[in-house]
Amino acid sequence: MPAVTETIETVQSVAEGGYKWGFETDIEMEFAPKGLNEDIVRFISKKKNEPEWLLEWRLKAFALWKTMKEPDWAAVNYPPIDYQDAYYYAAPVQKAGPKSLDEVDPELLKTYAKLGIPLKEQAILAGVEGAGESPADGRLPIAIDAVFDSVSVATTFKGRLEKEGIIFCAISEAVQNHPDLVRQYLGSVVPQADNFFAALNSAVFTDGSFVYIPKGVRCPMELSTYFRINAKSTGQFERTLIIADEGSTVSYLEGCTAPMRDENQLHAAVVELVALDDASIKYSTVQNWYPGDAEGKGGIYNFVTKRAACRGKRSKVSWTQVETGSAITWKYPSCILQGDDSVGEFYSVAITNNRQQADTGTKMFHIGKNTRSTIVSKGISAGFGQNTYRGLVRIGAKATGARNFTQCDSLLIGDQCGAHTVPYIENRCMSAKTEHEATTSRIAEDQLFYCRQRGLSEEEAVGMIVNGFCREVLKELPMEFAVEAQKLLQISLEGSVG
Amino acid sequence: MNAMSNNAEAFLRRAEALATPAWAGALRRQGLDALAKSGLPTRRAEAYKYTDLSPIARAEFGAAPAALARPALPAPRGRARLVFVDGLLRADLSTLPPRPLSDAAAVLGTVENSAVTPVAALNAALAEDGMFLDIPAGEQAGLIELVSIVTEAAGPIAFHPRHVLRLGQGASVTLLETCQGPDGVAYLHNPVFEVVVGEGATCAHTRIQQEGGSAYFLSSVHARIAAGGTYDNFTLNAGAKLARNEIHAALEGPKAACHMNGAQLVGDGRHADSTTFLHHAAPDCASRQTYKTVLAGRSRGVFQGKILVSQAAQRTDGYQMNQALLLSEDAEMDAKPQLEIYADDVKCSHGATVGALDEAQLFYLRSRGIPEKEARAMLVQAFLTEAVDGVADETCRAALDEAVMGWWREMAA
Amino acid sequence: MLKIEGLTAEIDGKQILKGLDLEVPAGEVHAIMGPNGAGKSTLSYVLSGREGYEITGGSVTFHGKDLLAMEPEERAATGLFLAFQYPVELPGVGNATFLRTALNAIRRQRGEPELDAMQFLKLARGRMKELSMPEDMLKRGVNVGFSGGEKKRNEVLQMALLNPSLAILDETDSGLDIDALKIVSDGVNALRGPGFSALVITHYQRLLNYIVPDRVHVLVNGRIVKSGGKELALELEAHGYAEVAA
């Protein structure tokens, strides 16, 4: 007990300035007027030069949203959000398609440099054509779509990917260039009226990534989107759509940061994944939105709807998330296992520190025969953080032979935080089997002492034990991300636990 | 919760017509307020997501007949018993002199909270009778039976007995509760227990619910356990068309313990729900829960179990397991185990499984010459063992085994 | 190098060490023997700085510094190593990661350069070979799923890598078969030299056949009641603590 107390104190003493991505970029921006109404929806649609059907789609979503109530069932508390007191469109003023580094706004370049994206990639991010297409180390690069506030500012490696028939671009661009695909799949996994935040997103989404992997293609590189909220009083509403056609494979990474501000900013994203026969999608997130300060002032409200449809036989979707940021996280990446023998996976690490609150988990809908799902959730609470795992496993009457295994572990650091587990298990199929296990504990004194006897400081010891606790999840991340995620855990612990 | 306030209207009207015994005054007001405000919960209420009470809200229940029935009673098992027939405590059939509930004023309505437990609110509004069992400090009361029987002649009555069980410091009692009634009569049994376990006292409470196949059973047990005290509850949910059984226990003093075990045997056309709420409010307490549900035919089983650990409850040791066995293609099990933890020095875990009988085990038994029916019975029996083993008292255990075998015979027939 | 004077300590208000005096010069191996409950494990925990023990009197100097004023990790960096009687499991923490982090933490505090992964692996593999340890032990979680013997060997491996100036071996022989005992003892003996001292805490004389001590001390009821050469261990084995201590 005393050792833990000490750890917490040590940690708190270094907590100040723990968030290293909290700077703000001073850049000329274009805003839509503050507030939310039909005109704003029309403004966004017009700005994006959208076809009529998409405007109608947005307006329908907006009409539905107005009839809906903000959900109150999650174990999170926050003052009412004034949806009229925010900007729904903010974009850096930029000349289209800069041809050289010199033409890119130097402030944008600096931003990506500060975010720690390597120089070569930085050139790519700024939209310089041809840069980094053949990396010297022979390793395959990562293609990146960078979303800055409301718009995608650059997408890299498009040429390389096009050779394989892969489409990777901003969704606004896909609306222009691949309207049939967008129209066919948009809203097919998360309908407009799915929930309050999804309806809001459907009405005002501004950008996000679009991915299409053609039949039989194994995507040759990791695809990644880097989300950055920069502007003040701005909501970010991105929409991502990934379609993996028959027999294709893709791994997609998502990262996010925001400046430190006293105000709360809303991030309400929708991600839809579609996997057809024998297709496989791996979707990894490292969520590091600004979490607010030690007193709970500021931070991002992260209200996100992520869902995958495993439509095809033997299709597979694997969600991996490391949630270290945001003042509030409300997020349940889910899988609808329609195809026979399809597989859904959810691996999650969520850390809440200081006054952070997280209510996160997954839903696995078993519809097809012999569908399988695995859920591994690791929650870490420190400071005054509240961390809830909320999950649903539903086995339909026709899902014969379905299997689910769920493991939820919570770790408490300090006696002011909370850890909660709320699983729902609904099984209406005799030959299906569900197993759920959950544990809650804290770091054992003898583990801490053992590490310290070997020369580790308390902070290092706590960090190492927490990393060990999360190992099952971290090993699911792609290599580059895993290293970053481990560092991030350590930093989050510094800023909150140790 | 914004449930329709009028779905309990029939009950409210009935309450108005009731004579109010002196002990019930405050309680009734409490219950009526809650019922008038919120009605019976609908499935929109989170706690009733899986159990639909609307058949009860819609049903018409009558009053008990004036003529006192004299049904055949089961052979006595304990040293003494209290007998309820058609909802009324019958001193003439009981072997323990009943104590009036007016003596229990200090406890009545203080352990349960009608405002948050609709099942208890309904009882509070309509309770007309009940038992008060008061075991003074240091007394080892042995086995006492509480028998409830509904007669065919009574028809579709609704009764809401309010039971109070109080154990003084270091006292102990074993309470064996049985509930029975005729098939084919749509009556409602809505018992509520308020249990106060004193310091170092021990209460073992075994409940065997075998209500008739058309009956409704809505029950809640509320227990407060003081330092060093132990409350053991085992509930067998084997009867009624729709059974909802709630157990709420609060560990209020250091080193208190609570065991909540149970089995639900759910036949064709039935619905059984066990909902537990365990509050660790003091340090160094331990709790154990094991619930097993067996589902046959077109049936639905529900288990909801929440463990709440308050910040003061350091060094809590909490464990919960619920498992369900689906014996039919038409059965459904819904489970919602839940941990809510605000203390850091704790060890809490829960587990939940739902599945069918293990075909490999079945085959193994059959390959050794055991007929399939018998093999299935053996495996179901084995499945239940872990929960049933929690009942230490031999008499209670024998009664339980008998009830399980009876259910199984009916099922297999 | 290690000097303990009049050390008294209690746990939960119960006095365990009752004025213990002991001196271990550089380069010497001392054995502490005593019956159950004499305070052997308490001594090893108090020296390494575990929480929960209250030092009520006396002093301990280590390399001339006040040992009792140091945090556990400072003691480790100063050269003190405790081989645990019951090594702790760290689920999910790889043995290699753990060892390298510990080694580098100590090297950092000693002002030595840190080792990168390759340098570390080379060093570790060499030491493991000497200890006849299978290489896959590096990949496994720290002590997770290790047999009793493997855990003790892992302790000796850590000792070999961290290169302490004082090793405290707390009942390292318990639960070891004769082969494992030999490997562990060889590991300790390999470190012997002018810069290495050890405090071998044991209940039985058996271990001292393999790690031959320079001095033997008898710990009874929180005090050293008798000290002598290595032959004292045999005497204890033959006659029991009661008689020797009397």
Side-chain angles (χ1 to χ4, degrees), chain A residues 450 452-454 460 471, chain C residues 71 73 92 108 155 158:
Chain A
Y450 189 75
R452 294 181 72 193
Q453 209 302 305
R454 295 298 181 258
E460 287 171 315
R471 209 181 121 80
Chain C
E71 293 295 318
E73 58 269 33
R108 210 162 45 234
E155 294 290 287
Q158 292 178 28

Side-chain angles (χ1 to χ4, degrees), chain A residues 224-237:
Chain A
S224 170
T225 302
Y226 196 90
F227 294 101
R228 173 77 180 164
I229 293 179
N230 186 63
K232 240 180 225 159
S233 309
T234 304
Q236 192 178 52
F237 304 93

Side-chain angles (χ1 to χ4, degrees), chain A residues 457-479:
Chain A
S457 70
E458 279 196 73
E459 232 172 84
E460 287 171 315
V462 171
M464 183 170 274
I465 292 166
V466 168
N467 263 312
F469 174 76
C470 300
R471 209 181 121 80
E472 273 173 277
V473 174
L474 297 178
K475 75 177 168 53
E476 294 296 325
L477 286 172
M479 184 74 106

Side-chain angles (χ1 to χ4, degrees), chain B residues 294-307:
Chain B
V294 179
L295 295 130
R298 181 172 290 280
S299 63
R300 191 166 183 190
V302 178
F303 174 82
Q304 306 182 105
K306 178 167 168 174
I307 301 176

Side-chain angles (χ1 to χ4, degrees), chain A residues 2-4 6 445-458 460 464-469 471, chain C residues 48 50-51 71-73 76 80-82 84 88-89 91-93 98 101-102 105-106 108-109 143 155 158:
Chain A
V4 174
E6 229 175 86
E445 284 300 318
D446 59 351
Q447 291 178 326
L448 269 183
F449 176 65
Y450 189 75
C451 293
R452 294 181 72 193
Q453 209 302 305
R454 295 298 181 258
L456 273 60
S457 70
E458 279 196 73
E460 287 171 315
M464 183 170 274
I465 292 166
V466 168
N467 263 312
F469 174 76
R471 209 181 121 80
Chain C
S48 53
R50 192 182 177 123
E51 304 270 353
E71 293 295 318
E73 58 269 33
L80 185 141
F81 180 93
L82 171 64
F84 284 64
V88 176
E89 298 185 2
V93 179
F98 175 70
T101 311
I106 287 178
R108 210 162 45 234
Q109 290 180 64
N143 294 327
E155 294 290 287
Q158 292 178 28

